[in-house]
Amino acid sequence: MDARPIGVFDSGVGGLTVFRSLEAALPGESFVYLGDTARVPYGTKSPETVGRYGVEAARFLRKQDVKMVIVACNTVSSVALDAVAAEAGVPVAGVIQPGARRAVALTRRGRIGVIGTRATIASEAYPRAILALREDVEVFSSPCPLFVPLAEEGWTDNEVARRTAETYLATLEAAGVDTLVLGCTHYPLLAGVIGEVMGGDVALVDSADAVASEVRERLSGDPRLAAPAAGAPAPSRFYVTDSPAPFAAVAERFLGRPVGLIGRAGIAGE
Ligand code: DGL
C-alpha cells in the first residue's frame, strides 16, 4: 500500500481533463496537479524546449514525493516522455500509448485519424505508436491549434467552434477515417462539435479516459502502489507557475466545480 499522491502535470489548465478522468477512475487516490501556466502553450514550441520544461516539472513533482507521474500533456508525452521518466524516479505514464491502444481496438476499417497540437502532430508519436501495434492500418493526422483557445474561452458549442472544426477536419473526413484520436488535453471539451462534424459512425478516442483506465489497471495489478482501501484520500493539491486566479476560473469550467486552494510553484531552472 502506498498512500502518497499521484503527480499529474500539463502545460496549463487542459490537463484537468486527464485529472477529471483519473479522479473518476481512482476515487481512493489523491493527486498533485501541476500546470505550467507561465509557459503555456507547449504545442507551438520546439522539442528541446518542451523537453526542458517537462524535466523541470518532473523534478518539481519528485520533490512533492509523488508515487507516480502522469504526463497529461500530449505534447510532452509525444516528444519528451523518456526525459521525464529519467528525471521522475517513479513510474511514469503518458497519454500516447493508451490512446493508440484504444484507437487500434476501436477501428473497424483500419483508417485512424489523429488530431493534436502542431508539435504533437510533427513528432509523429501517435502514428508510430499505432503502427507498432498494428501494421495494416492507415493513420491520417492534422494539427488543430485553434481548438486550444476555443476550449479555454468556453467556446465549445457555438458557430465559431463548428466552423473551425469543419475547416480542420475536412481532410480527415475526406480520408474516410472511422476512428479519431483526440490527441490534445483540450479536445475532449470539443467532443460534441467534433463528433457532429465527423458524423456518428466515427469513434472518438479520448486519451484522457484511456490513460485513466490504464492507470487503474496498473494500480489494481500492483497492490504495493495503490492507496490503502480504508479512509478517505487526502484532498488533491493544485500548483501553477503563474497567477492562480485565471487558472481557477478556467478550472472551474473544465471540472464543473471549484478546485479550492491553488499554490504557486517556481519550477523554471529547477
Ligand atoms: N496540453 C497541450 C497538449 O495536450 C495543449 C496546450 C499546449 O499547447 O500547451 O498537447
Side-chain angles (χ1 to χ4, degrees):
M1 293 294 160
D2 191 335
R4 290 178 297 166
I6 296 175
V8 182
F9 91 86
D10 180 48
S11 53
V13 72
L16 288 174
T17 56
V18 177
F19 170 81
R20 184 177 68 178
S21 298
L22 285 164
E23 199 183 41
L26 298 159
E29 301 288 342
S30 78
F31 299 90
V32 174
Y33 182 93
L34 170 66
D36 190 6
T37 48
R39 302 189 292 196
V40 69
Y42 285 8
T44 52
K45 299 196 168 78
S46 68
E48 295 71 33
T49 299
V50 173
R52 181 157 51 83
Y53 293 173
V55 166
E56 288 170 355
R59 208 167 290 153
F60 173 82
L61 288 174
R62 189 177 187 159
K63 287 188 192 149
Q64 306 304 308
D65 195 25
V66 297
K67 62 180 171 186
M68 189 174 184
V69 169
I70 314 295
V71 182
C73 183
N74 285 252
T75 304
V76 177
S77 299
S78 294
V79 304
L81 195 63
D82 291 347
V84 170
E87 188 62 41
V90 290
V92 169
V95 285
I96 308 299
Q97 288 295 336
R101 273 192 279 271
R102 191 167 279 189
V104 166
L106 286 176
T107 186
R108 288 157 292 132
R109 296 190 304 274
R111 298 179 79 76
I112 299 175
V114 177
I115 52 176
T117 63
R118 287 199 193 287
T120 295
I121 298 305
S123 76
E124 298 188 356
Y126 271 111
R128 260 200 317 279
I130 291 167
L131 292 166
L133 293 167
R134 197 175 136 185
E135 275 174 13
D136 65 332
V137 297
E138 276 197 85
V139 185
F140 305 86
S141 306
S142 186
C144 302
L146 289 176
F147 283 169
V148 169
L150 284 175
E152 293 202 3
E153 198 59 28
W155 288 21
T156 52
D157 188 23
N158 65 13
E159 215 27 52
V160 180
R162 206 156 283 112
R163 290 294 295 276
T164 308
E166 280 164 5
T167 308
Y168 278 149
L169 301 174
T171 53
L172 299 176
E173 256 192 293
V177 303
D178 63 63
T179 302
L180 180 64
V181 180
L182 307 180
C184 174
T185 46
H186 292 62
Y187 299 0
L189 295 167
L190 286 141
V193 160
I194 294 171
E196 255 173 53
V197 169
M198 293 305 291
D201 60 335
V202 173
L204 301 186
V205 174
D206 180 335
S207 37
D209 264 358
V211 73
S213 338
E214 290 206 3
V215 172
R216 185 182 47 209
E217 271 168 40
R218 179 157 185 183
L219 293 186
S220 60
D222 188 351
R224 282 167 315 168
L225 207 56
S236 293
R237 287 178 280 142
F238 297 86
Y239 293 94
V240 291
T241 55
D242 199 358
S243 154
F247 177 86
V250 184
E252 187 160 348
R253 194 159 59 236
F254 273 43
L255 291 180
R257 61 170 168 86
V259 292
L261 211 60
I262 303 166
R264 186 143 179 183
I267 65 166
E270 282 218 7

